[in-house]
Amino acid sequence: MLPGGVDSPVRAFGAVGGTPYFVARAEGAYVWDVEGRRYTDYVQSWGASILGHANPAVVDAVQRAARDGTSFGAPTEREVLLAEAIRERVPSCERVRLVSSGTEATMSAIRVARGYTGRDRIVKFAGCYHGHVDELLVTAGSGVATFGLPGSAGVPAGAVADTVVVPYNVVPQIGDDVACVIVEPVAANMGLVAPAPGFLEGLRGACDGAGALLVFDEVVTGFRLGPGGAQERYGVTPDLTTLGKVVGGGLPLAAFGGREEVMSVLAPDGPVYQAGTLSGNPLATAAGLAVLEQLDGAAYRRLEGRAGQLAGWLADVVGEAGLDVIVPSVGPLVGLFFTDRPVTDYESAKAADPKLYARFFHEMLARGVALPPSPFETWFPSLAHTKDELERTADLAAAAARAIA
Ligand code: KE4
């Protein structure tokens, strides 16, 4: 019925083998499959459910909103409130537009950059994934990397003729024909790779020197690393930012925003067209606001502390089983590579052992822990993952590591 049995390729277990579990319901740190098995879930809708699944305040907000109608095709107060909440938290976002997916956000941001600068060329980094928009499906991460695809069939050469791909964590030369550089400020789609010291600052300087715009794709890091995401954590302010996942509370909502003069090119004010029937959807804005209201400093400190502990325990127990493993963590994000070499870019991420990851994945799944079904993804512990739960995950990881060693 569904091509590959899924509505998004990475869910098909292509990188790890086997048949994916189908989720019947979820609550907090857990999902239950249709056979009634419970898993401690580190996929968490790829980072959308930072509070954990079925957070009561989020469910209540969506239920209440639904009673007043689900979509109008007309402006509502709540989308203004969410845009204001984003502007209050994200340094670059003087103006914000809401859309329905991260792909729409990056596609729109690229068009704004090209419309604002009058230039066509864009620069992206190998292993970074920005959704399935044609001009960015080049040496992408996430599902494209999972299936070892250089890009994608169906993308005409013309669509990517102006896309330049360069290695992550190296500041490229930027010509004066470049509209923008788009980057995951912390890469989460080649596994988890932190920006090298000076990398983001270098991109800022290179873009300023060339009159190009700097676009931070914070679909993963936005509202995950803190209220102001990576740009606040690393003190580098891009010209445009894309956001998703957390900001929609698990409903179809994403956003892009930037400096007022840059965003002023957007229709109806300016000549760059961008639109969406369900943009700013009333249920999704209700969910997003309900999530942001709960994400205070204490929540972020707790989440970051727990993720850091989990990363340390995993490195210890998997290492003690005699396996070469690197467990990077950045704020509340955790990665895991079976390798003894530092992972700083896509090439070194691909050098990690994918077969060992696949076996580890299944040993953990058999023990009731659901990891991302690809080595080119990131673990998303949520605020619903208690310290005991994380300790249990580490104990199970010790057993899983011994089983594959
Ligand atoms: P969506 O169009 O899937 O909502 O967002 C695209 C996107 C953009 N930018 C970044 C940094 C992203 O990580 C994503 C989507 N993330 C993947 C998982 N890493 C989505 C999972 C999937 O494709 O099913």
Side-chain angles (χ1 to χ4, degrees):
M1 205 48 219
L2 298 172
V6 293
D7 283 318
S8 196
V10 72
R11 303 176 189 171
F13 278 23
V16 293
T19 304
Y21 54 88
F22 275 58
V23 175
R25 71 180 185 90
E27 188 175 348
Y30 308 112
V31 295
W32 284 263
D33 71 13
V34 291
E35 270 92 39
R37 277 187 292 267
R38 190 193 80 171
Y39 302 102
T40 303
D41 180 29
Y42 287 93
V43 178
Q44 290 286 330
S45 184
W46 301 102
S49 43
I50 192 169
L51 301 176
H53 292 297
N55 175 270
V58 174
V59 171
D60 179 51
V62 173
Q63 287 177 329
R64 272 188 285 111
R67 288 192 199 102
D68 295 337
T70 57
S71 177
F72 316 118
T76 65
E77 183 190 15
R78 210 157 37 225
E79 58 202 273
V80 177
L81 293 175
L82 183 57
E84 284 173 350
I86 293 169
R87 188 178 58 184
E88 281 160 22
R89 290 164 173 79
V90 186
S92 61
C93 289
E94 293 176 355
R95 289 286 180 275
V96 176
R97 175 161 286 180
L98 305 178
V99 293
S100 299
S101 73
T103 295
E104 265 195 277
T106 58
M107 172 176 69
S108 306
I110 295 291
R111 192 176 311 132
V112 165
R114 284 170 157 164
Y116 178 77
T117 60
R119 301 174 181 181
D120 296 339
R121 186 142 288 212
I122 56 178
V123 176
K124 78 173 287 286
F125 295 85
C128 284
Y129 178 71
H130 304 292
H132 63 94
V133 56
D134 275 359
E135 61 257 60
L136 294 174
L137 266 183
V138 188
T139 328
S142 185
V144 179
T146 294
F147 294 91
L149 304 172
S152 169
V155 175
V160 295
D162 288 310
T163 304
V164 178
V165 183
V166 293
Y168 194 73
N169 269 328
V170 175
V171 178
Q173 293 292 325
I174 304 294
D176 59 8
D177 60 342
V178 171
C180 68
V181 172
I182 182 167
V183 67
E184 290 183 60
V186 176
N189 288 289
M190 54 175 110
L192 183 65
V193 178
F199 173 56
L200 299 178
E201 296 82 348
L203 292 183
R204 181 68 276 173
C207 286
D208 290 343
L213 298 188
L214 179 57
V215 183
F216 272 12
D217 179 354
E218 296 222 40
V219 165
V220 166
T221 55
F223 306 112
R224 168 73 53 176
L225 298 188
Q231 57 197 264
E232 182 180 56
R233 177 177 285 251
Y234 293 99
V236 175
T237 302
D239 301 294
L240 284 164
T241 299
T242 55
L243 299 161
K245 298 183 195 282
V246 172
V247 74
L251 271 74
L253 184 141
F256 65 102
R259 286 193 281 119
E260 184 173 359
E261 62 172 331
V262 175
M263 293 293 281
S264 67
V265 301
L266 269 172
D269 295 341
V272 176
Y273 194 69
Q274 188 281 342
T277 300
L278 298 176
S279 296
N281 174 270
L283 307 196
T285 52
L289 283 166
V291 170
L292 295 188
E293 275 158 25
Q294 296 183 56
L295 291 175
D296 57 13
Y300 281 113
R301 280 190 297 279
R302 187 163 71 248
L303 188 57
E304 177 152 351
R306 294 219 184 120
Q309 274 185 312
L310 175 66
W313 293 334
L314 288 171
D316 291 346
V317 299
V318 178
E320 277 151 25
L323 296 168
D324 292 329
V325 70
I326 287 182
V327 186
S329 71
V330 177
L333 294 170
V334 175
L336 186 144
F337 295 98
F338 284 108
T339 182
D340 59 354
R341 294 174 32 194
V343 178
T344 58
D345 61 11
Y346 191 33
E347 289 316 306
S348 47
K350 284 191 288 187
D353 187 332
K355 291 188 181 53
L356 215 44
Y357 183 86
R359 290 173 56 205
F360 184 67
F361 171 87
H362 280 290
E363 289 294 339
M364 290 294 270
L365 196 66
R367 291 170 171 79
V369 180
L371 305 182
S374 161
F376 297 113
E377 298 290 354
T378 296
W379 298 30
F380 293 100
S382 80
L383 281 160
H385 287 69
T386 61
K387 196 156 177 292
D388 289 351
E389 197 50 64
L390 297 174
E391 282 177 356
R392 208 169 70 83
T393 296
D395 292 343
L396 295 169
R402 284 193 296 274
I404 66 174

